[in-house]
Amino acid sequence: MTEDEKPKDGETRPALRQDLDAALAAPLGEIDPFALARRDLAKSLPRRFYKAAGAQACAEGFELALDGRPARTPARNRIALPTLAAAQALAAEWERQSEIVDPAQMPLTRIVNSAIDGVAREIEAVAAEIARYGASDLICYRAAGPEALERAEAAAWDVALDFAARELGAELVVARGIAFVEQPEAARAALVEAARAAARPEAGGAFSLAALHVMTTLTGSAVLAFAVERGAMSAADAWTAAHVDEDFEMARWGADDEALAARARRWREMEAAADLIAALRAP
C-alpha cells in the first residue's frame, strides 16, 4: 500500500468501509455472529476509526456525529433523527464499540439505517406488510391441546387480543390448529391505519415504523408489536408472549442451547426497536 492509499485519520480502508456499510445495511436477523467469526479468520472487521461518537443539532433535528463530523448511512444519507434522546441512544451504541466496529452489536444502527435508506420511501408498503402479519397473527392461532398449552396461550395472548379490539379497533378471529382463518376486512383495515399512525411525524415517522416492523417480524405478531409501540405492554412481556409455544416445548423436552442463543440475539434487536420508539417519543 502506498502512502496515498493509506487511510487518513478518521477513515477506514475503502474495502473495509464497504464491508461495514453492507453489514450495517443488512436486514435485522441476517447478522450471524458465528458467520462473522468464521469470516474474521480470513478478514478482520473494521477497526474503530473515530475517537468519539456524539449527537449534535442539525437542520433535520439531531444527528450522529463521529469526531464532530456528520455520520452517513450506507446510501450516504446523513443520519439525522427527530429527537435528541434518539440521537444520543444511537451515539451510545457507536461509543460502545471498542477496538473494532462490530455490526452484530449494533441493532439500533441497522434500524436507523433501514428507516432512512428504505422505509422513508416506502411508508405505505411497510404499513401494508405489518398489517399482513396481523392478518395471520401468531396470537390468533391457538393449539388444539394439550390443555396446559391452551391455558398458557390464553394467559399470554388474550390480553393482546383485547388490546387490539379496544385500542386498534381490530377485532380478530381466533382459530384452533393451523388451518388459515380469514380476518374481517374491518380488522385488516384497522391494522393498516394503526401502522400509518405509527409513521406520523409526531410518532417518530419512518424510524417508528421501521422499529414497529422489526418487532412484528421478530415476534410473528403485529398485535404484540403494536402493544409495545402503544405502551400497553413492555418489550420483555411481548417477547415472552411470542415464545409461549417454544417455552412450553422446552419445559417438556429440555432446553435447546442453540435455539436459546439465537433467541438472545433476536432479543437484542427487539429491545433496540422498543428503545428507539421510546426515545423518539421522549419529552
Side-chain angles (χ1 to χ4, degrees):
M1 177 182 293
T2 68
E3 288 300 318
D4 289 340
E5 292 173 324
K6 290 181 179 178
K8 308 286 192 302
D9 289 342
E11 296 179 349
T12 60
R13 286 176 293 175
L16 289 181
R17 182 66 203 214
Q18 289 169 9
D19 291 340
L20 176 61
D21 283 349
L24 291 176
L28 295 180
E30 292 188 6
I31 299 295
D32 181 351
F34 297 103
L36 287 174
R38 289 191 296 270
R39 188 193 72 175
D40 291 346
L41 293 175
K43 178 174 62 178
S44 297
L45 288 169
R47 297 185 67 83
R48 177 165 167 159
F49 55 91
Y50 53 92
K51 294 180 180 179
Q56 62 189 24
C58 65
E60 298 84 1
F62 302 90
E63 65 186 0
L64 171 66
L66 303 178
D67 294 335
R69 295 189 293 273
R72 295 186 180 274
T73 68
R76 314 315 297 159
N77 295 306
R78 289 176 73 140
I79 303 179
L81 295 101
T83 69
L84 177 59
Q88 288 175 331
L90 185 63
E93 185 173 79
W94 282 80
E95 192 62 32
R96 284 194 295 272
Q97 303 304 299
S98 55
E99 294 184 0
I100 63 170
V101 181
D102 185 356
Q105 305 300 322
M106 304 176 78
L108 184 57
T109 299
R110 299 201 304 279
I111 298 172
V112 168
N113 284 346
S114 71
I116 295 172
D117 289 346
V119 175
R121 300 193 303 271
E122 300 289 347
I123 294 292
E124 283 299 313
V126 175
E129 184 175 355
I130 291 170
R132 280 195 293 274
Y133 269 87
S136 56
D137 205 281
L138 166 76
I139 68 172
C140 293
Y141 290 86
R142 306 297 177 90
E147 185 178 346
L149 178 56
E150 292 179 19
R151 290 197 303 268
E153 289 177 344
W157 297 347
D158 284 356
V159 63
L161 277 178
D162 291 343
F163 157 81
R166 183 181 66 253
E167 300 294 334
L168 307 180
E171 296 191 12
L172 299 169
V173 178
V174 173
R176 293 284 174 189
I178 60 174
F180 178 74
V181 58
E182 185 77 23
Q183 295 296 342
E185 183 178 348
R188 298 197 305 271
L191 293 173
V192 172
E193 286 305 312
R196 289 171 176 161
R200 291 172 185 161
E202 62 271 23
F207 299 103
S208 178
L209 188 64
L212 180 66
H213 184 267
V214 166
M215 293 191 295
T216 298
T217 57
L218 286 171
T219 61
S221 171
V223 174
L224 291 175
F226 279 122
V228 176
E229 183 257 335
R230 297 285 182 99
M233 185 179 287
S234 71
D237 286 345
W239 192 246
T240 298
H243 292 87
V244 167
D245 291 357
E246 185 177 325
D247 287 340
F248 183 83
E249 291 301 317
M250 286 191 184
R252 293 181 68 188
W253 306 110
D256 182 327
D257 291 340
E258 186 174 339
L260 288 174
R263 187 197 295 189
R265 294 195 298 273
R266 294 194 303 272
W267 162 247
R268 289 195 292 272
E269 298 169 0
M270 176 79 175
E271 187 177 34
D275 287 348
L276 177 58
I277 288 176
L280 290 166
R281 299 172 189 181

